[in-house]
Amino acid sequence: MSYHLDGIAPHGGQLVNRIATPEQKQTFLSKADFLPRIQLDERAISDLEMIAIGGFSPITGFMNQKDYESVVTDMRLANGLPWAIPITLSVSEEVAGSLEIDSLVRLDNPAGDFIGVLELTQKYHYDKIHEAINVYRTNDAKHPGVQVVYNQGAVYLAGGVWLLDRHPHPEFPKYQIDPVESRQLFHARGWKTIVGFQTRNPIHRAHEYIQKCALEIVDGLFLHPLVGATKEDDIPADVRMRCYEILLDKYYPKDRVILAINPSAMRYAGPREAIFHALIRKNYGCTHFIVGRDHAGVGNYYGTYDAQHIFSEFAPEELGIVPMMFEHAFYCTRTKQMATSKTSPSTSEERIHLSGTKVREMLRRGELPPPEFSRPEVAAELARAMQLPL
């Protein structure tokens, strides 16, 4: 495992910075009215931001055909470096036909604001079914990640990108901690080993248990909830963030946890996304990464521990971050505590299994999660958000 002055080396060795300098920004703004425009959706905006701040290092733009095909087929960039999810920008045939190679393209948000620039180097067609089967392990259009691929344009644009400005997050500015800052924070706290935790759900007792098991081993926990695009039935980011704040205030040691937002969009790619999430946390400075049951899964598309097995397909030094594998944790009614099958002698009838899906289902039915599922203060916050009677 290689180290920089600010801790573990980013993936590929260098932390990418594609935020325009004041001079670059002025140059881009002076050309703004003359450039062809593409309007980015929520996911593409997240990808632009993650590239710009170094969260996707060593990626500096939307992937060219060589990198794209290598990632889809072999989970590696064309240079052999592990990378599990294609980072692409799709457009229609018509839009692609209007763009010239080796020119600048203006990137706008849905409100029409100029937010970034693409240095267009390539346009290429791709096989949607091939991408779906390789990345998501299914061609079922009901899968949310596959649905995105099937609904997008037929042509990918490639080239380096620049983000015009790094604005504070509109909802969570104090938790917007980019890789440069997270590395500085870890260094300031004297943390040498940091475990990252990915979540798109409010933390239930099983999550809390595995995080605290990990904290017994490492110096600090980087709690890194994803606030980019998620499925419609996922609990909104603002509700989740309030739950995290409540939990950290009452149930965690304050000097050993940092809460920060991850601007990425969910892909729901299961095993491949576990690798992707680990490499992102490596870029933020984490040395370890928690991989539990059905990481980044959805429906029944992936086996319970497929996201753990996929790590064995890479040499540890290739990934450069240590996966911490945890079995499905449950509340054990015999020992009256959280446990896994590794530590509990209980029978299946004595185990209360928890999951974000179960919590969401209970809330939709108007039920409050019991203390075995969620800390009471967190359950109360979820009930308020869902307008349930307390």
Side-chain angles (χ1 to χ4, degrees), residues 13 118 138 187 195 222 265 321 360 390:
L118 168 69
T138 179
H187 180 73
V195 65
F222 189 53
I321 185 168
R360 289 196 300 273
L390 292 174

Side-chain angles (χ1 to χ4, degrees), residues 183-253:
R183 289 168 168 271
Q184 290 167 349
L185 282 172
F186 301 158
H187 180 73
R189 292 195 180 199
W191 292 356
K192 296 278 190 265
T193 51
I194 304 99
V195 65
F197 186 81
Q198 152 70 28
T199 177
R200 67 175 205 269
N201 289 305
I203 292 172
H204 50 64
R205 294 290 298 277
H207 289 153
E208 182 183 339
Y209 173 74
I210 62 176
Q211 288 168 12
K212 288 179 174 174
C213 285
L215 261 179
E216 294 286 2
I217 300 165
V218 299
D219 298 332
L221 167 67
F222 189 53
L223 180 54
H224 206 207
L226 182 143
V227 297
T230 56
K231 293 191 285 92
E232 281 182 14
D233 63 342
D234 280 344
I235 290 171
D238 60 327
V239 178
R240 290 188 280 121
M241 290 300 287
R242 287 199 300 275
C243 291
Y244 304 144
E245 289 173 333
I246 290 165
L247 202 59
L248 294 186
D249 184 51
K250 289 188 174 291
Y251 296 102
Y252 284 68

Side-chain angles (χ1 to χ4, degrees), residues 16 35 37 72 109 113 130 172 181 188 248 282 287 292 358 375-376 384 387:
V16 167
L35 297 178
R37 302 182 184 200
V72 169
N109 66 17
D113 304 317
H130 180 69
F172 318 114
E181 287 88 24
L248 294 186
K282 174 187 177 184
T287 57
K358 279 189 179 176
R375 295 291 188 180
R384 267 194 295 277
Q387 298 181 322

Side-chain angles (χ1 to χ4, degrees), residues 148-382:
V148 169
V149 175
Y150 286 0
N151 290 340
Q152 65 191 14
V155 180
Y156 280 147
L157 305 181
V161 296
W162 295 97
L163 181 68
L164 248 55
D165 290 291
R166 183 62 175 139
H167 294 296
H169 192 278
E171 289 182 276
F172 318 114
K174 76 172 180 174
Y175 296 116
Q176 181 171 284
I177 300 170
D178 291 344
V180 168
E181 287 88 24
S182 59
R183 289 168 168 271
Q184 290 167 349
L185 282 172
F186 301 158
H187 180 73
R189 292 195 180 199
W191 292 356
K192 296 278 190 265
T193 51
I194 304 99
V195 65
F197 186 81
Q198 152 70 28
T199 177
R200 67 175 205 269
N201 289 305
I203 292 172
H204 50 64
R205 294 290 298 277
H207 289 153
E208 182 183 339
Y209 173 74
I210 62 176
Q211 288 168 12
K212 288 179 174 174
C213 285
L215 261 179
E216 294 286 2
I217 300 165
V218 299
D219 298 332
L221 167 67
F222 189 53
L223 180 54
H224 206 207
L226 182 143
V227 297
T230 56
K231 293 191 285 92
E232 281 182 14
D233 63 342
D234 280 344
I235 290 171
D238 60 327
V239 178
R240 290 188 280 121
M241 290 300 287
R242 287 199 300 275
C243 291
Y244 304 144
E245 289 173 333
I246 290 165
L247 202 59
L248 294 186
D249 184 51
K250 289 188 174 291
Y251 296 102
Y252 284 68
K254 289 183 171 53
D255 60 342
R256 297 197 60 213
V257 185
I258 291 172
L259 173 63
I261 55 171
N262 173 12
S264 296
M266 274 300 294
R267 264 71 177 183
Y268 303 95
R272 278 193 180 230
E273 197 158 6
I275 299 290
F276 180 56
H277 283 162
L279 295 178
I280 289 171
R281 275 43 181 230
K282 174 187 177 184
N283 287 329
Y284 275 83
C286 295
T287 57
H288 295 68
F289 182 66
I290 291 171
V291 187
R293 59 173 286 284
D294 197 25
H295 185 102
V298 64
N300 298 310
Y301 293 101
Y302 312 112
T304 306
Y305 296 107
D306 284 359
Q308 297 183 356
H309 302 325
I310 197 172
F311 281 82
S312 66
E313 296 182 30
F314 300 91
E317 63 273 13
E318 287 189 296
L319 296 179
I321 185 168
V322 180
M324 299 181 83
M325 314 290 197
F326 286 93
E327 291 203 4
H328 192 181
F330 49 80
Y331 185 83
C332 173
T333 58
R334 186 188 298 194
T335 58
K336 301 289 188 287
Q337 62 188 11
M338 297 303 303
T340 72
S341 56
K342 286 183 173 180
T343 56
S344 170
S346 56
T347 63
S348 57
E349 292 76 27
E350 295 171 305
R351 300 175 179 183
I352 300 174
H353 286 283
L354 326 176
S355 73
T357 304
K358 279 189 179 176
V359 170
R360 289 196 300 273
E361 285 171 357
M362 291 180 80
L363 290 167
R364 278 198 291 270
R365 289 198 303 265
E367 298 172 19
L368 207 56
E372 296 86 0
F373 264 53
S374 298
R375 295 291 188 180
E377 299 89 346
V378 172
E381 182 58 41
L382 290 170

Side-chain angles (χ1 to χ4, degrees), residues 101-157:
I101 299 297
D102 296 326
S103 65
L104 297 181
V105 178
R106 169 175 163 167
L107 304 176
D108 287 4
N109 66 17
D113 304 317
F114 182 16
I115 60 168
V117 168
L118 168 69
E119 299 168 328
L120 184 63
T121 56
Q122 195 180 34
K123 304 181 276 190
Y124 59 97
H125 290 88
Y126 64 104
D127 184 332
K128 293 187 178 188
I129 294 173
H130 180 69
E131 179 175 333
I133 289 171
N134 278 264
V135 176
Y136 299 102
R137 298 191 179 185
T138 179
N139 59 0
D140 183 356
K142 293 191 188 75
H143 184 292
V146 172
Q147 206 170 67
V148 169
V149 175
Y150 286 0
N151 290 340
Q152 65 191 14
V155 180
Y156 280 147
L157 305 181

